Amino acid sequence: ELTDLLNKMGEKMEANIEGILKVLEEYSSNNFLSSVKTDGIKEHLLQLANGINSLGDSITDTLVGRKRNGLTLQSSANTLKANVESLSNSSNEAAASLEETAAALEEITSTIISNSDNVTEMAKYAGKVTTSASSGEELANNTMVAMDEINNQVNSINEAISVIDQ
């Protein structure tokens, strides 16, 4: 009877240890959902089983927290990606606007240079016109003086003709 009792106790202990080893094997395969059955386990073996179950719960909680952090990180990464794309688009638009502005400034600069050249040429023409006007004024004065001389001579001729007629 003692032999049977010891054999049953050994079988029960072996079954309990097999259950613990099975759960540990599942943990090593990253399956933390299993737990050790604690029915009929006594003292030290019960403490071992509870410790393993606690370990599984703790690892599960850690993995849940990491998953939550991973999802938060993924959401933040998606937001960051969207913001980077928006910034990239804005930068491209700003670059295009700057390019258009540079082209417009180049055209304005060209127009200003052309206008400056035209003003310089007009200033030369104005100088020539002023010189011509001065020359024309001098010629007009000379013509007026000559006309006065002609009038004086005509008057002299008319007086001479009058004297001759008398």
Side-chain angles (χ1 to χ4, degrees), residues 20 23-24 27 32 34-38 41 43-59:
I20 291 171
V23 169
L24 287 174
Y27 284 3
F32 301 103
S34 298
S35 60
V36 178
K37 305 228 182 307
T38 57
I41 297 180
E43 294 180 39
H44 294 297
L45 211 48
L46 179 63
Q47 286 178 346
L48 177 62
N50 287 335
I52 290 173
N53 289 339
S54 255
L55 175 65
D57 292 342
S58 176
I59 290 173

Side-chain angles (χ1 to χ4, degrees), residues 56-75:
D57 292 342
S58 176
I59 290 173
T60 300
D61 289 344
T62 301
L63 290 176
V64 166
R66 286 187 180 172
K67 171 120 181 170
R68 193 176 312 119
N69 290 342
L71 292 174
T72 301
L73 184 60
Q74 182 179 10
S75 173

Side-chain angles (χ1 to χ4, degrees), residues 97-109:
S97 293
L98 282 174
E99 195 171 303
E100 289 175 14
T101 302
L105 282 174
E106 189 174 318
E107 190 174 322
I108 289 170
T109 302

Side-chain angles (χ1 to χ4, degrees), residues 25-139:
E25 188 175 316
E26 287 184 35
Y27 284 3
S28 68
S29 300
N30 293 325
N31 178 7
F32 301 103
L33 299 175
S34 298
S35 60
V36 178
K37 305 228 182 307
T38 57
D39 316 351
I41 297 180
K42 303 221 173 96
E43 294 180 39
H44 294 297
L45 211 48
L46 179 63
Q47 286 178 346
L48 177 62
N50 287 335
I52 290 173
N53 289 339
S54 255
L55 175 65
D57 292 342
S58 176
I59 290 173
T60 300
D61 289 344
T62 301
L63 290 176
V64 166
R66 286 187 180 172
K67 171 120 181 170
R68 193 176 312 119
N69 290 342
L71 292 174
T72 301
L73 184 60
Q74 182 179 10
S75 173
S76 297
N78 289 338
T79 302
L80 179 61
K81 180 183 175 192
N83 289 340
V84 165
E85 287 174 357
S86 174
L87 180 61
S88 176
N89 290 338
S90 296
S91 295
N92 289 338
E93 289 173 9
S97 293
L98 282 174
E99 195 171 303
E100 289 175 14
T101 302
L105 282 174
E106 189 174 318
E107 190 174 322
I108 289 170
T109 302
S110 174
T111 302
I112 289 172
I113 289 171
S114 176
N115 286 345
S116 177
D117 291 345
N118 289 341
V119 166
T120 302
E121 195 170 325
M122 288 177 74
K124 287 178 188 176
Y125 290 143
K128 287 180 182 179
V129 167
T130 302
T131 303
S132 294
S134 295
S135 177
E137 183 182 356
E138 187 178 324
L139 289 173

